[in-house]
Amino acid sequence: MGLAQRIDEALHRTFGLAYLCVARERSIHERCDYARAAFAALGLDRPRVLDVGCGGGILLRHLARAPIAAASYTGLDWRATRLDSRYRDVRLPHRFLDIDLDSDWQVEGDDAAWCSEVLEHLIDDAGVLRKIARSVVPGA
């Protein structure tokens, strides 16, 4: 890990969302705010959230500060476990799984799923949507 990345990691862990609001593009945070509002509109009490193609995992920080907290967060991406140390200070139960979204994957037991700016990078859009659907609890 280079010096710039180590500094970014330290600032991320120290200042959390306040740092990310300054250091990351505003539209990322707008999408996270939209996701939080969408989860709240579902009327679920403490939903278990699946973030498909989680990227840097920023949604986790947003969910951790939501007025209606999520019960848990699962982030899926090609190299998602690299984020474990970055988010070790977050109290919301979470996990990151290394998954090639174009492979045949299934993560069960979540109430809601989020997939933003991911489909355009994948080979089989419809297949990924089917995998997301089978990973979310029916009727949630």
Side-chain angles (χ1 to χ4, degrees):
M1 182 182 312
L3 178 60
Q5 190 174 5
R6 287 196 314 267
I7 291 170
D8 183 63
E9 292 278 331
L11 290 169
H12 191 283
R13 281 193 308 274
T14 303
F15 299 107
L17 199 52
Y19 167 67
L20 291 174
C21 286
V22 173
R24 302 300 191 270
E25 183 181 328
R26 172 111 183 97
S27 64
I28 294 168
H29 301 290
E30 290 170 352
R31 283 189 297 279
C32 290
D33 288 341
Y34 179 84
R36 285 179 37 220
F39 296 145
L42 292 174
L44 300 172
D45 182 38
R46 297 181 39 84
R48 296 164 297 173
V49 174
L50 177 65
D51 187 0
V52 180
C54 67
I58 294 175
L59 180 60
L60 173 57
R61 288 250 182 238
H62 281 269
L63 291 174
R65 74 171 182 100
I68 300 172
S72 66
Y73 168 94
T74 300
L76 310 180
D77 215 321
W78 183 255
R79 291 180 45 237
T81 56
R82 77 190 192 290
L83 302 171
D84 287 335
S85 65
R86 178 179 284 185
Y87 292 98
R88 68 177 174 242
D89 63 303
V90 175
R91 292 188 178 174
L92 173 65
H94 62 279
R95 64 184 176 154
F96 292 101
L97 303 175
D98 292 337
I99 292 181
D100 174 359
L101 298 175
D102 279 318
S103 70
D104 188 25
W105 57 270
Q106 185 166 355
V107 178
E108 296 178 345
D110 291 293
D111 300 309
W114 179 254
C115 182
S116 176
E117 297 199 31
V118 175
L119 295 178
E120 65 270 23
H121 301 285
L122 302 175
I123 295 168
D124 182 13
D125 298 0
V128 171
L129 293 172
R130 280 192 299 276
K131 294 169 209 169
I132 292 170
R134 75 181 182 194
S135 297
V136 176
V137 174

